[in-house]
Amino acid sequence: MMQNRDMNIAVLTGAGVSAASGLSTFRDTGGLWEQYRVEDVATPEAWLRNPERVTEFYNKRREQLEHAAPNAAHRALVELESKAAVHIITQNVDDLHQRAGSARVLHLHGELTWVRCCGPEQVRRYWGTRPVDLLSQGCANGHPWRPDVVWFGEEVPRMDEAYPLVETADLLLVVGTSLQVYPAAQLAYAALGRIPVHVFDPAPLSISGRNLVEHHRGPADELLPCWVETFVP
Ligand code: BJW
């Protein structure tokens, strides 16, 4: 197999990459934001107002993740590592990229399998997919645990690590994201016009500067494995 370890590929993934694993996306028909109001479950204010409801939302998602497995799109990105240096930047809180075997995965919006304390130290603890009564327990300093995810209105601290990965990449793949949420979406725009951008998504392209983008329109679990197989760095 042809290898070019000097080629850097950045991959920005979103909920669509895990759709074929049975995990709901957010904004598609039947997606999570049709079943829940964002302001009830995915903001710091929701957590302060009704932590039980937020805990229940994330416990259900943990339970779904427990029964989910990586799909052909996750596996294709592992296969890509045999051809180039691959850095995955995922907006997803699931752990399916890691479970598939990807070596370098940066979680922009946190991880469902971790909790962190509400105190200033923000101590993190691995929790796995078992449900948790977050409110009856706390860290050593007595601060309650919360899901280790980034809610609307909260800073996305790992953007500082994500930008250089795109800025030093030779190619960007954008897989299964509506690019509606910022600052994550800015990563795609940072690449536009500088390096080739390939989008794998069944929806029409949302990114402007479309003539600079190659759109592989369809499910990533079907299109990405073929693309990786024929890709020559
Ligand atoms: C398939 C497929 C298949 C289906 N194969 N594809 C106005 C303008 C600009 C910005 C703002 C604004 N007002 C407010 C903001 C900021 C706000 C924001 O972006 N809002 C927009 C919605 C307007 N952003 C924030 O608040 C962020 N923080 C911030 O800006 O901080 C500033 C700050 C600085 C300093 C101090 C303090 C603050 C934080 C954003 C956090 C997002 N969090 C969530 C929840 C995470 C936890 C959880 O999972 O519960 O992250 S929201 C949700 O959206 C989740 C996702 O990661 C994120 C992106 O969604 P994604 O992945 O794109 O999913 P979908 O459903 O949108 O798209 C799925 C795609 O898959 C579709 O395209 C399908 O077609 C496709 N698909 N099947 C391939 N088989």
Side-chain angles (χ1 to χ4, degrees):
M1 183 177 291
M2 176 121 179
Q3 294 198 345
N4 181 356
R5 293 303 190 141
D6 293 335
M7 182 174 202
N8 284 314
I9 302 182
V11 186
L12 175 65
T13 67
V17 78
S18 299
S21 298
L23 301 182
S24 297
T25 62
F26 294 92
R27 296 169 186 83
D28 289 313
T29 307
L32 284 169
W33 296 157
E34 272 189 9
Q35 302 163 49
Y36 299 88
R37 283 167 14 114
V38 174
E39 51 274 26
D40 286 343
V41 294
T43 65
E45 294 77 18
W47 174 250
L48 291 175
R49 218 172 29 241
N50 194 339
E52 290 83 5
R53 180 160 56 191
V54 175
T55 300
E56 189 188 327
F57 173 68
Y58 284 99
N59 275 341
K60 274 191 190 154
R61 308 250 317 266
R62 282 192 188 88
E63 194 185 334
Q64 286 164 359
L65 184 55
E66 168 88 37
H67 299 107
N71 66 59
H74 297 105
R75 289 192 294 273
L77 292 173
V78 180
E79 179 63 21
L80 191 57
E81 290 181 4
S82 64
K83 300 189 177 189
V86 178
H87 289 270
I88 296 176
I89 304 162
T90 187
Q91 297 168 81
N92 298 343
V93 295
D94 68 53
D95 59 357
L96 297 183
H97 285 304
Q98 285 100 325
R99 278 204 249 159
S102 282
R104 288 169 290 270
V105 184
L106 188 158
H107 281 270
L108 273 186
H109 293 159
E111 294 178 77
L112 202 47
T113 49
W114 287 72
V115 293
R116 74 167 191 266
C117 84
C118 297
E121 317 86 359
Q122 304 207 347
V123 177
R124 293 178 83 231
R125 178 168 170 190
Y126 182 75
W127 203 272
T129 49
R130 63 194 189 281
V132 56
D133 179 1
L134 291 168
L135 304 169
S136 67
Q137 311 178 47
C139 69
N141 291 335
H143 299 293
W145 297 113
R146 56 160 279 180
D148 188 22
V149 302
V150 181
W151 288 319
F152 281 110
E154 293 187 313
E155 191 176 4
V156 184
R158 301 200 71 186
M159 283 301 290
D160 288 349
E161 292 167 71
Y163 268 123
L165 297 178
V166 173
E167 283 162 0
T168 56
D170 304 297
L171 175 67
L172 175 70
L173 308 183
V174 177
V175 187
T177 170
S178 61
L179 295 175
Q180 285 189 40
V181 173
Y182 287 80
Q186 280 167 354
L187 294 169
Y189 287 98
L192 214 58
R194 189 184 71 77
I195 53 174
V197 177
H198 289 254
V199 173
F200 296 82
D201 198 302
L205 273 184
S206 58
I207 191 167
S208 52
R210 291 169 184 166
N211 53 335
L212 301 170
V213 176
E214 189 160 334
H215 188 188
H216 306 262
R217 191 168 178 181
D221 52 300
E222 290 176 17
L223 300 186
L224 199 50
C226 306
W227 183 86
V228 169
E229 198 179 318
T230 56
F231 173 68
V232 179

